[in-house]
Amino acid sequence: MKLTILGCYSATPKINTNPTAQVLEIKNHTFLIDCGEGTQVELRRNKIKFSRVKHIFISHLHGDHCFGLAGLISTFNLLTREADLHIYAPKGLKEVITMQMKLSNSWTNYQLIFHELTSTSSELIYEDDKVEVHTIPLDHRIYTNGFLFKEKLGERKLDMNAILNADIDMAYYRKLKQGGDVPDNQGNMIDNSILTKDPKPSKSYAFCSDTAYSASIIPIIKEVDVLYHESTFIEKNEALAKPTKHSTAKQAAKIAKKANVGKLILGHYSTRYDGLNEFKAEAEVIFPNVELSRDGKKFEF
């Protein structure tokens, strides 16, 4: 997996900071997660091909997470896009985008497919033979979801030495990769575990957008490889987090520790802070493997 942070600040964009947007490259997919103002500029800056973006996941309808979407849809149209574009978002965004296109008479030449989300329980919203995506219900001022991206286990690996020693016909190689037992050339059934090796472990990434501290997400994100969790404030400003239903860096670290995740990435910083070192220092007291997101930063895992 490769994660590119296009924007990781809250509220309004500034000269050197952008609101939330990121790209997850996983199993030949390029998923855009949230689409704050300026996202298409950052896609260009980070050399991410527009044509590869076929699925967009929007956490909620606050502007710093979706105000860049209408412009991006329009640009796709100007670039004569033909491929379908799927948008997974809270109910209401379809109405907003459709009204903009209607009043500006700028309907797309490609198919725009909205998957409207309303459930307050975790649900599977995308699946193919390599990847699945689940929602993570969050606790914010309006209906909000995070997203859990999970690789599916690949095929088993052939142990060629064992296969040759057991005298297995090539015609059974596909069945072996799929986990089946097969006969040798004398008709004896050979257990799959003798002839193959386990596939590489699957990887997972959890994106937790705007939310108050919520232990209810822990079972959903348990033991993910990487967790991105909002940390709008540091602990001394926790009084600001409560009414706005945001989290502190310390609270994000508590979630990471309780969920036993591999790595925690902090983001969605309030622009009131001059630097980010306090966020990392605060979180590391509770959970040691902490990284700071920054606009343009890339993570590979």
Side-chain angles (χ1 to χ4, degrees):
M1 291 190 190
K2 180 179 179 182
L3 179 69
T4 301
I5 306 296
L6 305 180
C8 59
Y9 286 80
S10 64
T12 59
K14 291 189 173 182
I15 293 174
N16 297 314
T17 63
N18 295 284
T20 302
Q22 51 185 247
V23 168
L24 181 67
E25 296 173 70
I26 169 177
K27 293 288 188 180
N28 239 9
H29 291 292
T30 299
F31 292 145
L32 177 61
I33 309 169
D34 276 350
C35 190
E37 187 177 347
T39 293
Q40 61 178 306
V41 174
E42 294 306 310
L43 286 169
R44 292 187 186 277
R45 195 189 312 279
N46 288 277
K47 296 181 171 56
I48 295 168
K49 292 183 178 180
F50 285 13
S51 60
R52 291 191 58 81
V53 178
K54 296 177 182 176
H55 300 270
I56 300 177
F57 299 85
I58 302 295
S59 62
H60 64 296
L61 301 189
H62 281 157
D64 56 336
H65 295 260
C66 65
F67 276 178
L69 185 59
L72 185 61
I73 289 170
S74 176
T75 296
F76 283 167
N77 201 44
L78 293 172
L79 295 175
T80 65
R81 180 189 180 101
E82 295 180 356
D84 295 350
L85 180 64
H86 292 262
I87 299 173
Y88 307 79
K91 186 175 182 180
L93 186 60
K94 178 181 179 180
E95 180 182 356
V96 171
I97 297 297
T98 301
M99 182 62 71
Q100 287 179 312
M101 291 191 296
K102 176 183 177 182
L103 295 179
S104 61
N105 192 24
S106 55
W107 300 103
T108 59
N109 292 319
Y110 58 90
Q111 191 170 4
L112 200 56
I113 303 168
F114 285 89
H115 304 263
E116 295 188 297
L117 307 177
T118 59
S119 177
T120 55
S121 300
S122 180
E123 60 179 339
L124 177 68
I125 57 172
Y126 174 80
E127 182 179 25
D128 62 16
D129 60 340
K130 295 181 179 179
V131 178
E132 56 185 44
V133 184
H134 299 255
T135 57
I136 306 170
L138 299 175
D139 181 14
H140 194 41
R141 302 193 305 279
I142 61 173
Y143 177 72
T144 305
N145 287 299
F147 302 102
L148 172 62
F149 300 85
K150 298 169 64 176
E151 293 179 343
K152 292 186 175 180
L153 274 177
E155 293 182 328
R156 297 188 63 78
K157 306 295 182 183
L158 299 179
D159 185 338
M160 291 309 301
N161 287 332
I163 287 171
L164 294 173
N165 289 335
D167 195 22
I168 304 297
D169 193 283
M170 288 180 61
Y172 291 112
Y173 286 7
R174 169 54 56 188
K175 186 174 182 180
L176 282 171
K177 289 181 178 180
Q178 294 172 345
D181 300 335
V182 299
D184 61 18
N185 284 331
Q186 287 72 47
N188 303 306
M189 291 300 295
I190 310 298
D191 189 90
N192 185 277
S193 63
I194 297 173
L195 304 172
T196 66
K197 299 176 182 178
D198 291 339
K200 290 182 179 179
S202 59
K203 297 176 183 177
S204 55
Y205 172 66
F207 168 83
C208 289
S209 172
D210 298 19
T211 184
Y213 177 87
S214 177
S216 65
I217 71 173
I218 291 171
I220 303 171
I221 64 172
K222 193 79 173 174
E223 297 183 345
V224 297
D225 291 284
V226 178
L227 166 65
Y228 176 98
H229 194 290
E230 77 118 287
S231 54
T232 309
F233 302 103
I234 55 178
E235 188 178 14
K236 69 181 182 182
N237 299 124
E238 186 178 354
L240 298 175
K242 288 181 179 179
T244 57
K245 290 214 166 184
H246 284 297
S247 296
T248 65
K250 183 177 181 179
Q251 290 171 333
K254 286 181 178 179
I255 291 290
K257 182 177 180 179
K258 290 180 179 180
N260 194 31
V261 308
K263 182 192 295 289
L264 170 64
I265 301 176
L266 300 177
H268 198 264
Y269 318 110
S270 168
T271 53
R272 72 181 60 244
Y273 302 105
D274 293 328
L276 303 179
N277 290 335
E278 285 184 272
F279 288 87
K280 192 170 190 289
E282 181 177 297
E284 281 180 331
V285 173
I286 295 169
F287 184 81
N289 195 5
V290 179
E291 299 249 18
L292 294 172
S293 60
R294 298 181 189 272
D295 294 4
K297 189 170 181 177
K298 295 174 174 58
F299 300 89
E300 295 195 35
F301 48 96

